[in-house]
Amino acid sequence: MQRLLVFVFFSLMAATAVRAQLSISGGSTAVQESIGRAVTLTCTYSLSAGYTLREIKWYRVNGERDPVLFYYPGQSAYTYGLYRNRASLVNTDDSAQVASLRLSNLQFSDNGTYECLVGALNGQPAEESVQIDLVALVAPNDPVITDEYNNGNLTMTCTAYTGNPAANLTWTRDGSRVYHDVAENITSWRGYLDAQSIISVTASTAQSSTFQCVAQHPAFTAAQRASVTVGSPTVSTVNINPSPVPGEALQELDDIILTCMTQEGIVPQPTYQWTLDGGNVPASAQAYRNELKIFSAQVEDSGIYSCTARNDFGSDSGDATILIAERDTNIVEPQTGSPVGSVVGGVVAALAFLVLVAIVAFAWWRSKERGDYHTAEQSPEEPTAVVSTEPEDEKDEEKLNLMEEKKEEEPEVKVETQGEGHAEVAKKPDPDQTA
Ligand SMILES: *[C@@H]1O[C@H](CO)[C@@H](O)[C@H](O)[C@H]1NC(C)=O
Ligand SMILES: *[C@@H]1O[C@H](CO)[C@@H](O)[C@H](O)[C@H]1NC(C)=O
Ligand SMILES: *[C@@H]1O[C@H](CO)[C@@H](O)[C@H](O)[C@H]1NC(C)=O
Ligand SMILES: *[C@@H]1O[C@H](CO)[C@@H](O)[C@H](O)[C@H]1NC(C)=O
């Protein structure tokens, strides 16, 4: 209510302001900074002789104006809402004529337009304001390519999830720039942007071609790439995990994972088939993509496992031999010490006991001498909590802040770097489980 009155009051004042006596300027281009960092929104003003600074006010312009920071000369600055304790003025020396705002621990929710307002007095009030765009950079996930094959038509979709702004995606084919058929920036989870770019090719004419999707983003230190090659799969090896010691068997009841290794990024995405000695794999085995998981392996699960990777261009197989031995159930005998060891052990134990007795006796004697039987010194009574001097409504606002900050908490997911690296570790979930 109070704020509304203040607002109405100054709105009326603005109408009668003498504009020529005060000029203000902010950055002309949007300010960009990565989340978690500190950022400065530059705003300077100049007052004609005889004018004095009345106030500096910062608002977030989001349909309406929400207060961020208010400053009146001679007082300390007030900060509001989610900006409390995060916003400050760069310079409160009035003669510097700087109204710039510093915002620490930049959040994605800070992204938007801000207004810097400066009020001055010389009998008549004057007031000027300028708007500044702030882009809170959020590095998107590395790009991923999914593909779909339909009657000879191969469609490849590249997506870089949850960035701000969206990543800039471009395609190359064998190193040369090619153009997408469809591109979109999709507003996704909580307002982050998924960049998506799709190309379709006639699969037969694209055989052996390598397609790369290149993602650029101001929060990336280097472009991130995803690449696929059109062709038939080649199986290089079948990995066994846990990997057996050469010449030794795996143990009964082990969980074993076999992985059928093909070239990376081969499209169309192959399907995989598994056999054991040319027949069915054990009923307890689960096949998923290029993996076969054998849970609680049995001796009879031993044999030659073959995988066949197949797509519309062809197929290839590879195998691995697995030997599973009965689990060694012999209880390991505790080591019995040698006679010499026992004697030495006994002597050491006896000495240790004597030392302990001596220490206890000495401690008892000391305390008796000093007559201090009482325990640890009692600390003076703790003062009761200091009663807050904050007005009630301010405390409520703080509670609200806390609640809002809680809501903002997100699981932390590390963005993987492919050697080239990101500038940022973004806080967001990984929406991509399809790669
Ligand atoms: C971030 O702020 C800029 C500048 O005001 C604006 O153009 C853009 O739409 C905003 N983005 C989001 C996701 O709100
Ligand atoms: C391939 O499929 C895509 C998506 O279904 C379609 O837009 C495109 O026209 C098709 N291209 C050819 C050559 O058939
Ligand atoms: C996107 O990247 C391409 C290739 O590097 C570049 O030519 C283009 O200017 C970029 N677009 C934007 C909006 O950054
Ligand atoms: C998506 O956003 C990026 C970066 O802001 C821009 O380069 C690209 O042109 C946008 N794409 C579309 C289809 O709007």
Side-chain angles (χ1 to χ4, degrees):
M1 187 62 197
Q2 205 177 349
R3 211 178 288 157
L4 184 69
L5 282 176
V6 168
F7 177 72
V8 168
F9 176 69
F10 285 132
S11 300
L12 288 172
M13 293 300 237
T16 57
V18 180
R19 291 184 174 257
Q21 310 311 320
L22 166 66
S23 69
I24 189 167
S25 64
S28 48
T29 54
V31 177
Q32 297 198 341
E33 188 50 90
S34 293
I35 54 169
R37 302 245 177 97
V39 68
T40 299
L41 302 180
T42 302
C43 175
T44 56
Y45 59 93
S46 109
L47 295 175
S48 304
Y51 273 75
T52 54
L53 180 70
R54 187 186 65 206
E55 63 191 2
I56 294 172
K57 289 179 172 178
W58 279 90
Y59 294 98
R60 166 79 178 270
V61 185
N62 194 5
E64 56 190 68
R65 297 200 300 181
D66 295 321
V68 171
L69 176 147
F70 285 3
Y71 168 75
Y72 304 98
Q75 298 179 27
S76 47
Y78 297 92
T79 53
Y80 295 87
L82 290 170
Y83 299 96
R84 186 163 291 210
N85 303 327
R86 279 200 305 135
S88 58
L89 288 181
V90 167
N91 194 327
T92 49
D93 173 7
D94 298 349
S95 63
Q97 310 210 336
V98 169
S100 301
L101 181 81
R102 189 185 137 94
L103 198 53
S104 65
N105 188 18
L106 187 62
Q107 301 294 304
F108 173 56
S109 57
D110 295 334
N111 185 87
T113 303
Y114 290 78
E115 183 177 314
C116 170
L117 182 149
V118 175
L121 270 175
N122 178 13
Q124 283 208 317
E127 186 175 287
E128 285 292 337
S129 67
V130 67
Q131 293 201 340
I132 297 161
D133 284 337
L134 171 62
V135 177
L137 298 177
V138 180
N141 289 30
D142 290 345
V144 288
I145 298 174
T146 56
D147 69 284
E148 225 179 280
Y149 183 81
N150 242 318
N151 297 320
N153 180 5
L154 181 64
T155 300
M156 289 167 281
T157 302
C158 178
T159 314
Y161 289 98
T162 55
N164 186 52
N168 177 10
L169 301 180
T170 49
W171 285 94
T172 62
R173 176 176 176 164
D174 297 325
S176 308
R177 178 80 191 267
V178 286
Y179 288 87
H180 58 252
D181 294 308
V182 184
E184 248 186 307
N185 290 330
I186 304 158
T187 300
S188 71
W189 190 76
R190 301 189 72 178
Y192 294 103
L193 292 160
D194 296 343
Q196 196 161 78
S197 181
I198 303 172
I199 55 172
S200 290
V201 291
T202 305
S204 57
T205 64
Q207 187 155 12
S208 310
S209 287
T210 296
F211 290 85
Q212 261 197 359
C213 171
V214 183
Q216 290 172 299
H217 191 273
F220 284 168
T221 50
Q224 299 294 307
R225 295 154 205 277
S227 72
V228 293
T229 300
V230 183
S232 67
T234 306
V235 176
S236 51
T237 57
V238 176
N239 281 351
I240 307 169
N241 190 3
S243 82
V245 178
E248 275 186 36
L250 292 170
Q251 290 231 329
E252 197 181 21
L253 301 181
D254 275 356
D255 292 332
I256 300 165
I257 301 173
L258 302 180
T259 310
C260 193
M261 303 300 292
T262 58
Q263 318 92 303
E264 211 162 295
I266 192 81
V267 288
Q269 180 73 240
T271 57
Y272 297 86
Q273 261 181 337
W274 293 89
T275 58
L276 169 56
D277 294 331
N280 289 341
V281 294
S284 65
Q286 298 276 321
Y288 181 66
R289 291 198 183 149
N290 64 338
E291 284 186 348
L292 182 76
K293 292 183 175 160
I294 305 162
F295 296 107
S296 298
Q298 302 296 305
V299 173
E300 56 270 27
D301 296 342
S302 301
I304 299 171
Y305 285 81
S306 297
C307 84
T308 301
R310 189 187 314 274
N311 71 11
D312 297 86
F313 284 100
S315 67
D316 191 29
S317 301
D319 51 41
T321 301
I322 290 188
L323 195 61
I324 296 154
E326 250 177 66
R327 193 165 268 270
D328 194 357
T329 50
N330 289 342
I331 293 156
V332 179
E333 294 280 320
Q335 288 253 307
T336 45
S338 64
V340 175
S342 308
V343 168
V344 171
V347 169
V348 168
L351 280 173
F353 179 71
L354 284 176
V355 168
L356 192 70
V357 166
I359 289 170
V360 168
F362 179 72
W364 177 80
W365 173 77
R366 275 283 304 268
S367 62
K368 224 179 161 194
E369 284 283 294
R370 299 201 313 202
D372 66 286
Y373 280 105
H374 62 84
T375 49
E377 227 175 281
Q378 209 95 59
S379 54
E381 191 113 348
E382 287 281 331
T384 46
V386 176
V387 176
S388 171
T389 52
E390 264 186 20
E392 271 309 309
D393 56 346
E394 288 223 334
K395 270 200 292 192
D396 284 347
E397 217 171 302
E398 200 140 271
K399 260 185 237 158
L400 208 71
N401 289 348
L402 278 175
M403 279 162 65
E404 278 181 49
E405 265 158 34
K406 265 231 162 75
K407 271 197 305 188
E408 286 300 307
E409 273 176 26
E410 292 151 15
E412 191 162 309
V413 171
K414 194 181 183 308
V415 177
E416 280 186 12
T417 56
Q418 289 184 329
E420 297 171 290
H422 285 102
E424 278 308 296
V425 170
K427 281 177 164 189
K428 62 200 168 184
D430 188 353
D432 171 52
Q433 300 298 339
T434 60

